[in-house]
Amino acid sequence: MRPHSSLKQEFLKKWIMGLQRCSFSKKNMSILERRKTIKFSADIAMASARNGTTCWSRALISNASKDGSNNHHLVKQMLGPESNRPTVAANIAPTRRALVCKKIVKQSRRIRRRRRKCVATSSIAKHLVRKRTQILKSLIPGGELMKIRLIEETLDYIASLIVQVDVMRSLARASEP
Amino acid sequence: MSSRRSRQSSAGVSRISDDQIIELVSKLRQLLPEIRDRRSDKVSASKVLQETCNYIRSLHREVDDLSERLSQLLATIDADSAEAAIIRSLIM
């Protein structure tokens, strides 16, 4: 799955714009400050390129806007006032369909429990899946809130990260003396 | 695709269904070199999750390294500087 070039361009545009808006060209910025600004604006640009269509991107922007006054200010500079941004609350609460599915799964679980024969290996596997899913959730922005959409969001997040890395790498390569 | 998802929801953490695993594996196979050579029916959910987490962590690390590198390479993004010309050509 090659990253789409349109997503690359979208990310690059937003990132460069963000860097400019963050007064990146301040001559007396320390290297540490510059690195933080680069990473921060790259993350915001990556999330903003999704235009609020994914949970992780909304969560990333929302988390950045909360974290202390400095980041909040930067996010505002990069993306404009909050009224223009899609809210995090959208699509996080389980839909009606999701609740119906949960009910069906609970009932089938009850039935399946009676038929189970070998418990040991399947419970170890289940434990591993549970543990690793928790880890995965901790790696994705807003992951703790996701249930049904976790897989979908993971794939989109990975694809966006790949785009981010590709673009940053190209820029680094191009800027090398 | 949405109807399939509605039948198999992941109500709790351990409820990721087989279909979703197969879907994830086939998509990840294109992204992750480690899984590429394995047959789909032998890949366990926990292994896929582990590879996914490792991959995300390595991508995070790469972004951090690249940010470090770029902070040293890009002094400014002045409108007239050489970097700006490069960036402009990248966007075109």
Side-chain angles (χ1 to χ4, degrees):
Chain A
M1 183 173 22
R2 314 231 85 218
H4 301 293
S5 56
S6 59
L7 189 56
K8 268 186 175 175
Q9 284 187 325
E10 189 65 28
F11 166 71
L12 181 59
K13 263 191 265 185
K14 292 207 151 121
W15 185 35
I16 299 298
M17 240 177 16
L19 284 172
Q20 287 173 330
R21 288 197 189 150
C22 293
S23 341
F24 190 71
S25 39
K26 271 199 297 226
K27 301 267 180 180
N28 47 7
M29 223 187 207
S30 72
I31 283 211
L32 183 64
E33 246 182 273
R34 215 178 295 146
R35 178 175 69 76
K36 280 193 190 160
T37 308
I38 288 176
K39 171 145 201 316
F40 184 76
S41 53
D43 283 343
I44 298 290
M46 173 176 73
S48 148
R50 282 348 238 128
N51 287 319
T53 53
T54 56
C55 184
W56 70 263
S57 56
R58 294 192 297 265
L60 194 155
I61 293 176
S62 150
N63 290 341
S65 312
K66 279 189 232 149
D67 236 14
S69 59
N70 191 34
N71 288 348
H72 178 90
H73 178 58
L74 282 177
V75 176
K76 233 188 184 165
Q77 272 184 312
M78 280 190 66
L79 295 178
E82 281 185 41
S83 49
N84 298 350
R85 286 180 242 150
T87 57
V88 186
N91 296 340
I92 294 224
T95 60
R96 189 201 184 101
R97 187 193 263 173
L99 293 167
V100 169
C101 293
K102 275 191 199 176
K103 208 172 175 193
I104 296 174
V105 168
K106 263 198 201 130
Q107 286 173 337
S108 67
R109 225 193 262 180
R110 241 177 275 143
I111 299 170
R112 226 183 290 160
R113 220 175 279 154
R114 295 181 208 140
R115 297 195 198 135
R116 194 172 292 155
K117 289 173 189 174
C118 172
V119 180
T121 48
S122 66
S123 66
I124 291 174
K126 277 221 172 84
H127 169 72
L128 274 178
V129 168
R130 205 172 298 146
K131 192 174 78 162
R132 286 173 182 167
T133 308
Q134 278 304 111
I135 296 175
L136 180 63
K137 282 183 170 188
S138 70
L139 289 171
I140 301 182
E144 300 302 331
L145 303 167
M146 293 176 211
K147 294 196 170 170
I148 295 176
R149 294 188 53 96
L150 182 62
I151 305 284
E152 201 180 314
E153 293 275 333
T154 305
L155 291 169
D156 191 80
Y157 183 55
I158 291 181
S160 294
L161 279 177
I162 291 176
V163 165
Q164 189 185 46
V165 165
D166 272 356
V167 171
M168 289 176 87
R169 203 183 283 145
S170 312
L171 186 57
R173 217 178 290 141
S175 308
E176 235 132 57
Chain B
M1 201 186 227
S2 59
S3 60
R4 179 171 52 160
R5 223 174 279 139
S6 70
R7 269 186 279 125
Q8 300 135 354
S9 74
S10 42
V13 151
S14 55
R15 301 312 300 167
I16 297 182
S17 71
D18 289 341
D19 268 11
Q20 286 179 313
I21 297 292
I22 292 173
E23 197 184 325
L24 177 62
V25 168
S26 67
K27 291 199 177 141
L28 279 179
R29 187 173 285 150
Q30 299 160 54
L31 298 171
L32 301 178
E34 295 83 27
I35 296 194
R36 211 162 8 225
D37 305 317
R38 289 202 202 124
R39 288 174 292 158
S40 57
D41 52 348
K42 295 285 187 178
V43 180
S44 68
S46 59
K47 188 67 179 164
V48 170
L49 286 168
Q50 190 183 42
E51 295 295 345
T52 310
C53 292
N54 290 341
Y55 192 48
I56 292 180
R57 274 191 276 248
S58 78
L59 286 171
H60 283 168
R61 248 175 289 140
E62 265 206 86
V63 171
D64 285 340
D65 289 342
L66 283 167
S67 302
E68 180 71 44
R69 230 167 105 197
L70 282 170
S71 68
Q72 290 159 353
L73 290 171
L74 299 174
T76 65
I77 308 265
D78 278 340
D80 301 326
S81 73
E83 284 102 10
I86 292 169
I87 291 161
R88 241 174 270 133
S89 64
L90 281 174
I91 298 178
M92 290 313 171

